[in-house]
Amino acid sequence: DVSLTETKSAAFGATVDTYTDKVKPGYKFSSATTPLTITAVAADNVIKVYYTLNTFTVSYDLNGGVGNGYDPETVGHNTIVTVKDAPTYDGYVFDGWIADGNSYAAGDSYTVTADVTFVAQWYSAPVYSVKVKYQVDPVGKGTLDVTEETYTFSTPTATIQVGGAEVTPASGWKLDVWKDAAGETVGSTSIMSNVTVTVADGDVLVFTAKLKESGGGGGPFIPGPSKPTVAFYRVEHYKWDSTRNVYDLADVETKRGLIGNTVLATPMEYSGFTLNPLADGFVQRGEVIQNKTDTEMLVLKLFYDPDKGGDTTPDKYQKKVIFVVSNGTWADGSAEDKVLYLDLLDENGNPSANGSAALTAPVGMIANDGFGNGAWFIVPPATVSGTEDAVYTFVFEKLDAPEVPDTTETPDTTEVPGTTDTPEGPVSPSTGDNGTMLLSAMALAASVGVASITVMAKRRREE
């Protein structure tokens, strides 16, 4: 956007301020390709002054809730945004958003004029529950590790997963199938697999382990080794909130695994974020343990950080470097800014915000017509550190235009010797022969490189 163009004139050797703060609604001054004050002006200069759009962050504080799509957004001044839908929170009911002291419902419009955070509002939901009972048929021909469970949920009806009971048949018996109250088969292994059911508050579900005689002809039945029981474990996913410099809980997964087995959590995909195994508290692998209470279980925690470069390295361990060329192009003929995200490494080669990175500056820049003598305004170093952005600009100067010699002919009105009046008679070369004068003029024209010369010979006046 070059809508703000300013031309100034200055005397040779003068000191001038090259830039005056122009007000551009919604923008602010960012940087310039040369110093804003030039001392000892010696030639024409073109200065690029960069403005940055005034932007604000729209954030959502789920206030204990979970959900996807609530990443902070950066928008321009006076942008109209739509307030997002409700997240979820087990045991609570969503009651709208609060921002700037005002209440907003999902789908409302909001005009952004400053940073804003929408905070989710909740109230305790009534608790609904169902009972799940397990039994053996025939009675007494097997044992169960659990005979009854209670499941709770926050709506009058819900779709849930139940199961996990294990049956151990008595000697001479083996499991045939698991059946629900309607007689439908729901499993055929000693551990009843997770069964998805739709329930209402107060329901009682009954599942039966149907056993049959194992036969075997004569010898006593020797049961095989019992399978380990299953238990719940939880995977928590946290995303970095750059506005508050904290990790927010984004998603929670509750899973089942065999007790004693090692499980590995699968990372989620969040747009603009990448997994950060170096975050404090990061745990991706663990051994499933018996759930003695709701809080005593394996908990895996995965942390995610912003990744604007899209290279799977968190921005907090990178330095953004921008190369700019002014009044010319790069070696490949392009003029767009070159943006690099450099990994900062410590002395052991590990990602670190306090590390450093090697920097190789572009070469072979090409000046635009009328420009030359290119140089870096600030010379890029061979090594950079720190996580703040850095901008390096290569500038070509405007060249002075070459002087063009004046080739305009000025008519000579001086009397040519030998053209004065002479007595009548033939004109001789010594007294103004026209042919001789024309040849002389042509020779003169050839000697000075003049394209054409008009020669006027004074005709002898008749007496």
Side-chain angles (χ1 to χ4, degrees):
D1 181 2
V2 293
S3 59
L4 295 181
T5 301
E6 183 180 25
T7 302
K8 288 188 172 186
S9 298
F12 184 87
T15 297
V16 294
D17 291 329
T18 63
Y19 163 79
T20 56
D21 191 9
K22 287 185 175 294
V23 176
K24 184 174 178 66
Y27 290 79
K28 61 184 177 183
F29 170 75
S30 176
S31 63
T33 57
T34 60
L36 299 184
T37 299
I38 295 180
T39 59
V41 173
D44 291 344
N45 287 272
V46 176
I47 296 93
K48 286 185 178 181
V49 180
Y50 293 91
Y51 292 83
T52 301
L53 175 68
N54 286 331
T55 58
F56 303 104
T57 301
V58 179
S59 305
Y60 288 85
D61 183 349
L62 305 190
N63 196 19
V66 296
N68 294 321
Y70 296 96
D71 298 339
E73 299 177 54
T74 300
V75 301
H77 182 71
N78 278 339
T79 296
I80 298 176
V81 298
T82 300
V83 179
K84 294 185 179 295
D85 293 337
T88 59
Y89 191 176
D90 288 344
Y92 292 85
V93 176
F94 181 69
D95 195 28
W97 302 95
I98 293 290
D100 301 331
N102 298 313
S103 297
Y104 296 90
D108 284 353
S109 295
Y110 181 89
T111 301
V112 180
T113 58
D115 291 340
V116 62
T117 299
F118 292 91
V119 181
Q121 304 299 300
W122 307 95
Y123 63 85
S124 296
V127 177
Y128 303 95
S129 65
V130 297
K131 288 186 181 296
V132 178
K133 294 183 178 183
Y134 305 97
Q135 60 187 22
V136 175
D137 181 28
V139 177
K141 299 305 180 181
T143 59
L144 294 163
D145 66 334
V146 59
T147 58
E148 185 174 304
E149 292 180 310
T150 299
Y151 291 81
T152 60
F153 42 96
S154 59
T155 56
T157 60
T159 299
I160 61 175
Q161 283 191 331
V162 300
E166 181 181 10
V167 62
T168 302
S171 177
W173 293 82
K174 66 179 180 181
L175 176 69
D176 184 11
V177 290
W178 283 92
K179 298 271 188 180
D180 62 15
E184 297 293 329
T185 299
V186 294
S188 59
T189 61
S190 61
I191 300 176
M192 193 186 89
S193 59
N194 292 339
V195 178
T196 301
V197 292
T198 300
V199 295
D201 183 42
D203 283 352
V204 177
L205 306 180
V206 179
F207 296 94
T208 303
K210 295 286 188 178
L211 305 180
K212 64 182 180 180
E213 293 183 84
S214 59
F221 171 73
I222 302 175
S226 61
K227 295 182 181 179
T229 57
V230 296
F232 289 103
Y233 68 93
R234 188 167 66 246
V235 182
E236 298 176 350
H237 302 266
Y238 294 84
K239 292 167 58 180
W240 181 256
D241 184 341
S242 300
T243 60
R244 298 186 294 130
N245 292 329
V246 296
Y247 284 103
D248 284 334
L249 181 63
D251 288 286
V252 178
E253 299 176 284
T254 301
K255 298 177 175 288
R256 285 178 183 264
L258 295 176
I259 294 175
N261 279 13
T262 298
V263 292
L264 178 69
T266 301
M268 288 193 169
E269 296 289 339
Y270 294 112
S271 177
F273 285 78
T274 189
L275 191 69
N276 182 10
L278 300 178
D280 291 340
F282 183 94
V283 180
Q284 190 175 5
R285 183 190 303 270
E287 182 179 307
V288 180
I289 60 174
Q290 180 67 49
N291 306 149
K292 296 180 180 179
T293 67
D294 290 342
T295 58
E296 292 185 20
M297 67 172 62
L298 170 66
V299 178
L300 305 178
K301 295 185 178 182
L302 276 60
F303 295 84
Y304 305 81
D305 280 273
D307 178 21
K308 295 179 182 177
D311 51 12
T312 72
T313 299
D315 293 343
K316 63 172 57 177
Y317 305 133
Q318 290 188 319
K319 185 178 186 70
K320 182 180 179 181
V321 176
I322 305 171
F323 290 112
V324 179
V325 62
S326 177
N327 304 323
T329 65
W330 304 111
D332 61 6
S334 66
E336 291 79 12
D337 296 348
K338 294 183 178 292
V339 180
L340 303 178
Y341 288 88
L342 303 178
D343 294 347
L344 300 175
L345 305 177
D346 63 17
E347 57 186 9
N348 297 318
N350 298 317
S352 171
N354 298 318
S356 60
L359 176 63
T360 302
V363 296
M365 283 68 81
I366 304 169
N368 291 340
D369 291 343
F371 292 85
N373 302 328
W376 289 102
F377 180 60
I378 298 177
V379 178
T383 303
V384 293
S385 59
T387 56
E388 66 279 0
D389 295 352
V391 180
Y392 300 100
T393 304
F394 192 88
V395 182
F396 286 104
E397 297 179 356
K398 185 175 180 62
L399 301 177
D400 293 334
E403 293 186 4
V404 179
D406 186 0
T407 59
T408 304
E409 286 293 328
T410 301
D412 188 356
T413 57
T414 306
E415 288 230 359
V416 179
T419 61
T420 55
D421 293 343
T422 59
E424 289 184 352
V427 179
S428 65
S430 61
T431 59
D433 183 282
N434 289 346
T436 301
M437 294 181 64
L438 179 58
L439 291 173
S440 299
M442 292 175 64
L444 175 62
S447 66
V448 299
V450 178
S452 63
I453 296 178
T454 302
V455 179
M456 298 183 65
K458 197 171 186 180
R459 187 181 296 275
R460 184 176 56 200
R461 184 170 55 191
E462 300 289 341
E463 291 185 355

